[in-house]
Amino acid sequence: MSDASGSIAAVTERLRSTLPSDAVITDPTRRAAYDCDGLLHYRVTPAVVVLARDTDQVQAAVQACMTHGLPFVARGSGTGLSGGALPHADGVLIVMSGFREIREVSARDQRAVVDPGVINLQISQRTRPDGYYFAPDPSSQQICTIGGNVAENSGGAHCLKYGFTAAHVLSLDVVTPDGDRFAFGTRAPDAPGYDVLGAFVGSEGTLGIATSATVRLLRTPETVQTFLAGFADTDAAGAAVSAIIGAGIVPAAIEMMDALAIEAAEAAVACNYPAGAGAVLVVELDGPGAEVDSELAAAEQHCREHGAFEIRIAADDQERQAIWRGRKSAFAAVGRISPDYIVQDGVIPRTALPEVLRRMKQLADDGGVRVANVFHAGDGNLHPLVLFDDAVPGQADAAEETSGAIIDLCLEHGGSITGEHGVGSDKAKHMPKMFTEDDLDTMQRIRCAFDPTGISNPGKVFPTPRLCGEVPRRHSASDDSRTPTTTAGVEIF
Amino acid sequence: MGLLNALRGADLDVRAAVSADTVDGRLPRLLVRPRSTQQVSALMSIATEHDAVTIVRGHGTKLTWGAPAPEASILLDLSLMNRILDHQPGDLIASAEAGAAIADLQAALSSRGQRLAVDTMVPGTTVGGLVGSNVSGPRRVHTGTVRDLLIGVTIVLADGTIAHSGGKVVKNVAGYDLGKLMTGSHGTLAVITEATFRLHPEPTATRWLSTRIATADLETVLAAACASVVAPSAIEIDCNAPDSATVAILVEGTGAGVAARASAISTMLAAFDLGPDDHDQAKSGLGDAQDWTLRFPFTTGGTQVGLKLTAALGGVVEVCAAAVAHGLHVRGSAGAGVLYAAAPTSITSAELTTVLSELRPLTARLGGTAVVLDGPRDIRSEVDVWGPVNGLPVMRRLKDQFDPGRLLAPGRFVGGI
Ligand SMILES: Cc1cc2nc3c(=O)[nH]c(=O)nc-3n(C[C@H](O)[C@H](O)[C@H](O)COP(=O)(O)OP(=O)(O)OC[C@H]3O[C@@H](n4cnc5c(N)ncnc54)[C@H](O)[C@@H]3O)c2cc1C
Ligand SMILES: Cc1cc2nc3c(=O)[nH]c(=O)nc-3n(C[C@H](O)[C@H](O)[C@H](O)COP(=O)(O)OP(=O)(O)OC[C@H]3O[C@@H](n4cnc5c(N)ncnc54)[C@H](O)[C@@H]3O)c2cc1C
């Protein structure tokens, strides 16, 4: 028996003796159901799966792994798009989705205390009757968990104005990789000490497992106004975005789609966007009524001045949803116009948009593939969809190359390799393009403070894990640089 | 080679410290003024080689905060690193060196209709000092705090390693967020040399409304203000006596919007108005609250004991009442759950210990903490200024990783870090 299989057997035995019998899965077929997250391209079946229902169970599982030196990976709903919840063949996958009660809601305190497996949208559903909501709204909010949001520092269409998950979490209970339990932060802001909570959010499961979160609730705005504007091309639409923001208006959301994305959305949901538009903007403004009215008038004016040939203001909730339908279905819709596609997630300074879109078109032409663009225009977070047909020899490779070149393009303009989907397994190889060795080694110091033996989600985020206490030693990133694809029909934003 | 020669050999601007360089009652040996991140790195490598305790100074307004500062060999002064490096109005971002005055940064931003949405009242406050102390003023209710606005940092570790995290784009989740760890670290983890912030447009209209009300009505008014759809940018209170308190509410936005919202707020406040009060410094009522809301209720610089009291929103009134009952003057952001309190100048360390022994369990029950921010050194050396801290073992391990030789302001921070 190899080392790993001996440890796996020992861990399994220990888990079986401490956890409820239905919480430990070793059956190969059932384990295989967890072999990937939303990034379908990478698949690994975990050695053992634990269905955790409370903090004690999470701690028991982590302690078992620590004792026997096995890696563990936390998993929420598995909607991650960067392979963050990709299991280890010799490790334990700790599934948090059954650990999901909203423990406490206090409208007066504008707080809710929730289990890590609670679904994002459920918090707003629960608090809406009192006039509150949870602001971070990834497009996967109907299925993704708070634990996953915390780990990824998830965003959404509305984070331009309201910020990412990091701004909305007040405290976390965490089981650290050494099997200990800590509370980070307090229910009030500015807890004394280092902002360990801030470092944990966005750490993609590499610093431990969150077992409870106290989140901020926001007052629902008095008024919401949404409009759709059609432009001849993305340059004109981009200029309108700049004008709106330059005028001091911070919309709740400002999203752009290009001609190809519009074509796909029309084919899928017949959203009836302005005919002949080379680009559309979906602009949403929210806040006190009087404020929104004047901002709406100004934003509309800026769009017209920059060439919008048609503007539709939603008169009611139904019309608002009709406007959003095209935007929200765009990714899935791409499946209608292309058998395969890669979703990229990069960020650029927003002012570089026209230049980057032009260069991207050039890259696509050179590679013989098409790129559709649907993105968060307000904060420069691009989600280029690289379309290809796997059945055509060479196209998959060309698409991967183009997708990688787009990331380089973002970095060239001072941007980031990921705006919201995370680094995970997928982009660890790109980290050295964005950070120096010293930057990465400094980040490793944080890892070492939490996880000295490196068992918490190893291999994710950082290309070359270094052992704590040792002199950093680097080797080149893995050659397996195949960019993952999603199957058509999965709605990915 | 001695420390002084080594520093000179690295071409650093170094001289013996003089009385104006006193840190919390202790005179460091040398004052060093680096001109670049590279020079800070060279300096810290030398400090590590010579085991030289180092204290970082921005404008020096906060060096009496926290536990008493140690004897230091080096006072690392960032005043020569004061450039504004970049302002991209279209991208709503700006970068500056750590020694740049926030006032200079704000002036540059304001000329393009933008601002860094934090309040800084003290002339000279620097970018590094703002991040290092994580003090945010009234507007935090609306735009968040320094921590939320900091999107990128360059830091130098104790051993001279230069590291960056984040960048110049608002949305970015690549790697760990070093900026968050630096925020509020009081110079004990690394030296910040550059910072990049996300900006906000300056509102075209701003209006403060304030009224003195009976303490018995305080919770009603605060609950209504917090739940209000007029979206206040700040909800401040000032309370120096058991029976009454002043509430100040800020609205910012467009001209038309602010007028309508201000009128809704004044209608709400008017129902509770007690009229002006002769001995309250916030007495003059509607409209001029920006003056007191932008100052702590205590004088800083080690002269008066100043506390920071936090609680979940619904606990603010209870914390305020308890503090006032101890003779403290309370002021702060009732809309965020962050209050500052001034102790009478006559307070002794024994009396302060008693106050803390009552306020700490109370704030803990209400979800927050009670910390002594500032005060005379002898008092701070006799009380536990930080109190119990969640997650302390992890913080200790972070300090060990970043500053294993304990060179950066050892002893000032939580748990003796
Ligand atoms: C259709 C679709 C749309 C999407 N839209 C967006 C979007 O708009 N914005 C956005 O940001 N993302 C988006 N995503 C990506 C994804 O939904 C988010 O990253 C989400 O936060 C993942 O949550 P999850 O519960 O599915 O986590 P998982 O995929 O299960 O896990 C994600 C990461 O979190 C870790 N993790 C999970 N639970 C815990 C825990 N309790 N403690 C510590 N670590 C934990 C895992 O180890 C893994 O590294 C989208 C995905 C899909 C499929
Ligand atoms: C409502 C309100 C009222 C205020 N009132 C007052 C007041 O009355 N008086 C007052 O003094 N302040 C007041 N402040 C706070 C003041 O604006 C900040 O504390 C400011 O950060 C001090 O800046 P400084 O440059 O002087 O910092 P310093 O005092 O020089 O440094 C602050 C801390 O940060 C560390 N530090 C500084 N630079 C760096 C760096 N580059 N890298 C790492 N660590 C560093 C220092 O070691 C120190 O621990 C107020 C703030 C608010 C919000």
Side-chain angles (χ1 to χ4, degrees):
Chain A
M1 207 161 43
S2 75
D3 260 13
S5 58
S7 303
I8 293 164
V11 165
T12 308
E13 192 182 328
R14 177 159 163 179
L15 292 173
R16 285 209 187 285
S17 68
T18 46
L19 300 178
S21 58
D22 60 353
V24 185
I25 300 178
T26 49
D27 170 68
T29 319
R30 290 185 64 203
R31 281 190 281 125
Y34 298 97
D35 68 357
C36 70
D37 59 10
L39 183 65
L40 307 174
H41 178 74
Y42 297 93
R43 291 178 189 270
V44 175
T45 300
V48 186
V49 174
V50 168
L51 305 178
R53 296 229 140 67
D54 61 34
T55 308
D56 289 342
Q57 294 179 3
V58 174
Q59 189 176 24
V62 169
Q63 284 175 342
C65 290
M66 182 196 58
T67 308
H68 297 280
L70 280 196
F72 64 85
V73 179
R75 178 184 166 107
S77 294
T79 67
L81 294 173
S82 52
L86 185 74
H88 281 256
D90 296 331
V92 178
L93 184 75
I94 305 175
V95 180
M96 309 296 285
S97 54
F99 182 1
R100 55 164 179 210
E101 214 178 290
I102 296 178
R103 302 270 162 185
E104 205 185 311
V105 172
S106 166
R108 175 66 187 100
D109 292 337
Q110 302 183 344
R111 304 279 185 270
V113 182
V114 304
D115 288 347
V118 164
I119 304 294
N120 174 299
L121 189 62
Q122 285 172 350
I123 303 178
S124 294
Q125 283 169 341
R126 171 80 168 272
T127 55
R128 192 172 297 129
D130 291 325
Y132 291 88
Y133 73 111
F134 180 61
D137 60 341
S139 302
S140 51
Q141 69 180 148
Q142 298 192 10
I143 32 171
C144 66
T145 67
I146 290 301
N149 293 172
V150 163
E152 301 287 356
N153 192 12
S154 296
H158 291 93
C159 60
L160 168 66
K161 181 166 176 182
Y162 294 105
F164 319 100
T165 300
H168 298 272
V169 178
L170 268 292
S171 78
L172 287 175
D173 290 349
V174 169
V175 171
T176 45
D178 57 355
D180 217 340
R181 270 154 95 146
F182 294 103
F184 297 141
T186 58
R187 294 187 65 190
D190 295 2
Y194 297 131
D195 188 357
V196 181
L197 173 77
F200 189 91
V201 175
S203 62
E204 305 192 27
T206 61
L207 300 180
I209 303 187
T211 58
S212 176
T214 301
V215 299
R216 278 173 64 198
L217 302 173
L218 294 191
R219 186 73 178 85
T220 35
E222 184 181 24
T223 309
V224 181
Q225 288 280 9
T226 308
F227 72 85
L228 179 75
F231 295 84
D233 53 38
T234 51
D235 278 6
V241 175
S242 293
I244 290 170
I245 289 178
I249 300 169
V250 182
I254 184 158
E255 305 277 309
M256 198 192 297
M257 289 166 71
D258 70 5
L260 201 50
I262 298 168
E263 181 193 325
E266 290 294 352
V269 297
C271 51
N272 192 29
Y273 278 2
V280 295
L281 289 181
V282 175
V283 182
E284 191 153 284
L285 300 155
D286 70 9
E291 220 59 74
V292 171
D293 289 348
S294 64
E295 288 181 348
L296 176 67
E300 193 190 339
Q301 185 60 28
H302 288 299
C303 286
R304 291 201 190 284
E305 277 167 16
H306 289 86
F309 60 83
E310 187 173 339
I311 291 184
R312 290 184 207 159
I313 300 173
D316 53 29
D317 216 41
Q318 217 176 338
E319 289 188 19
R320 169 171 320 117
Q321 277 164 24
I323 288 177
W324 275 109
R325 192 166 57 237
R327 164 64 182 89
K328 296 218 169 188
S329 65
F331 284 74
V334 164
R336 301 280 183 131
I337 60 166
S338 175
D340 303 284
Y341 62 95
I342 296 168
V343 183
Q344 194 43 284
D345 166 43
V347 193
I348 51 163
R350 202 179 37 70
T351 47
L353 202 58
E355 153 90 9
V356 168
L357 290 181
R358 268 192 298 276
R359 295 264 313 272
M360 212 190 280
K361 171 93 175 55
Q362 191 64 52
L363 287 170
D365 289 349
D366 293 351
V369 293
R370 292 185 299 168
V371 175
N373 275 294
V374 187
F375 57 95
H376 311 299
D379 43 32
N381 186 190
L382 304 175
H383 289 316
L385 297 155
V386 183
L387 314 183
F388 68 99
D389 184 350
D390 207 11
V392 178
Q395 272 225 344
D397 289 340
E400 279 160 22
E401 232 162 79
T402 306
S403 175
I406 289 172
I407 279 303
D408 293 341
L409 184 60
C410 292
L411 288 173
E412 221 176 275
H413 285 82
S416 171
I417 61 172
T418 170
E420 56 182 22
H421 294 169
V423 177
S425 316
D426 186 30
K427 287 187 172 171
K429 61 180 177 288
H430 293 309
M431 287 287 277
K433 294 184 192 167
M434 187 166 165
F435 297 107
T436 65
E437 296 231 332
D438 281 347
D439 297 344
L440 295 172
D441 282 342
T442 301
M443 291 179 192
Q444 282 301 315
R445 296 184 194 226
I446 299 177
R447 174 67 172 275
C448 293
F450 280 84
D451 184 17
T453 56
I455 58 169
S456 192
N457 211 1
K460 313 297 166 63
V461 186
F462 299 103
T464 48
R466 103 176 188 215
L467 294 175
C468 299
E470 280 190 4
V471 183
R473 188 168 44 89
R474 299 201 160 270
H475 38 87
S476 61
S478 145
D479 284 334
D480 179 17
S481 58
R482 240 180 98 77
T483 310
T485 58
T486 55
T487 53
V490 179
E491 193 185 8
I492 292 160
F493 291 76
Chain B
M1 190 165 39
L3 175 62
L4 178 63
N5 286 336
L7 292 167
R8 285 207 172 121
D11 211 17
L12 284 154
D13 176 335
V14 54
R15 64 161 165 79
V18 298
S19 65
D21 302 321
T22 302
V23 174
D24 199 10
R26 301 283 183 274
L27 188 64
R29 211 181 120 207
L30 301 170
L31 178 98
V32 188
R33 295 188 299 167
R35 293 174 188 279
S36 65
T37 298
Q38 292 302 337
Q39 283 207 333
V40 174
S41 166
L43 187 168
M44 290 313 303
S45 306
I46 294 169
T48 291
E49 263 166 44
H50 289 81
D51 224 2
V53 165
T54 302
I55 292 181
V56 186
R57 178 171 80 181
H59 194 62
T61 58
K62 286 278 113 2
L63 297 175
T64 54
W65 281 28
E71 301 277 355
S73 299
I74 298 175
L75 180 61
L76 193 173
D77 176 293
L78 284 149
S79 56
L80 299 182
M81 290 180 63
N82 58 7
R83 289 178 306 155
I84 293 165
L85 300 168
D86 193 14
H87 176 204
Q88 298 292 341
D91 296 317
L92 291 169
I93 60 120
S95 305
E97 288 184 318
I102 296 290
D104 293 345
L105 179 62
Q106 298 287 27
L109 303 176
S110 178
S111 69
R112 307 293 295 270
Q114 298 183 344
R115 66 176 180 187
L116 171 60
V118 290
D119 304 287
T120 38
M121 280 59 46
V122 188
T125 290
T126 63
V127 165
L130 185 73
V131 175
S133 60
N134 189 25
V135 182
S136 301
R139 282 179 183 83
R140 62 177 301 150
V141 170
H142 192 53
T143 34
T145 61
V146 177
R147 144 195 215 275
D148 303 314
L149 300 171
L150 182 68
I151 58 170
V153 284
T154 302
I155 62 173
V156 176
L157 306 196
D159 64 8
T161 303
I162 299 171
H164 315 78
S165 85
K168 295 194 172 179
V169 283
V170 172
K171 206 169 176 186
N172 184 0
V173 294
Y176 297 150
D177 191 342
L178 297 174
K180 294 267 190 311
L181 277 184
M182 291 304 126
T183 309
S185 62
H186 287 269
T188 61
L189 211 53
V191 184
I192 303 152
T193 60
E194 289 177 16
T196 303
F197 299 99
R198 75 165 287 188
L199 308 175
H200 283 82
E202 272 185 337
T204 47
T206 307
R207 183 104 190 260
W208 276 102
L209 297 120
S210 87
T211 319
R212 195 172 61 91
I213 64 172
T215 311
D217 292 328
L218 191 55
E219 173 55 20
T220 310
V221 170
L222 293 180
C226 289
S228 159
V229 289
V230 305
S233 292
I235 303 167
E236 293 287 298
I237 56 169
D238 183 273
C239 190
N240 202 6
D243 52 341
S244 74
T246 302
V247 178
I249 300 178
L250 172 69
V251 277
E252 298 179 303
T254 60
V258 164
R261 294 153 69 202
S263 130
I265 290 169
S266 63
T267 306
M268 179 192 79
L269 289 179
F272 299 94
D273 185 19
L274 287 181
D277 169 6
D278 292 342
H279 52 76
D280 191 326
Q281 56 176 310
K283 63 187 171 195
S284 29
L286 290 183
D288 65 349
Q290 60 272 55
D291 189 27
W292 64 263
T293 53
L294 297 187
R295 288 198 314 263
F296 286 139
F298 50 88
T299 335
T300 57
T303 47
Q304 191 180 4
V305 171
L307 305 169
K308 181 171 187 169
L309 307 172
T310 64
L313 298 187
V316 164
V317 171
E318 203 177 334
V319 169
C320 179
V324 169
H326 282 292
L328 304 183
H329 176 184
V330 178
R331 183 183 282 175
S333 302
V338 177
L339 303 174
Y340 297 93
T345 40
S346 59
I347 198 165
T348 63
S349 52
E351 286 163 349
L352 181 58
T353 302
T354 307
V355 170
L356 289 171
S357 70
E358 286 173 33
L359 289 182
R360 282 195 171 135
L362 176 71
T363 49
R365 177 165 64 75
L366 297 170
T369 54
V371 165
V372 179
L373 285 184
D374 201 349
R377 185 179 172 108
D378 53 347
I379 291 190
R380 280 181 295 118
S381 34
E382 283 165 28
V383 300
D384 173 9
V385 299
W386 294 105
V389 172
N390 283 344
L392 190 56
V394 176
M395 295 178 195
R396 289 213 168 95
R397 298 196 308 243
L398 280 165
K399 172 76 172 177
D400 285 346
Q401 286 289 332
F402 278 73
D403 179 19
R406 290 178 52 80
L407 297 183
L408 289 167
R412 279 187 76 192
F413 206 42
V414 298
I417 284 174

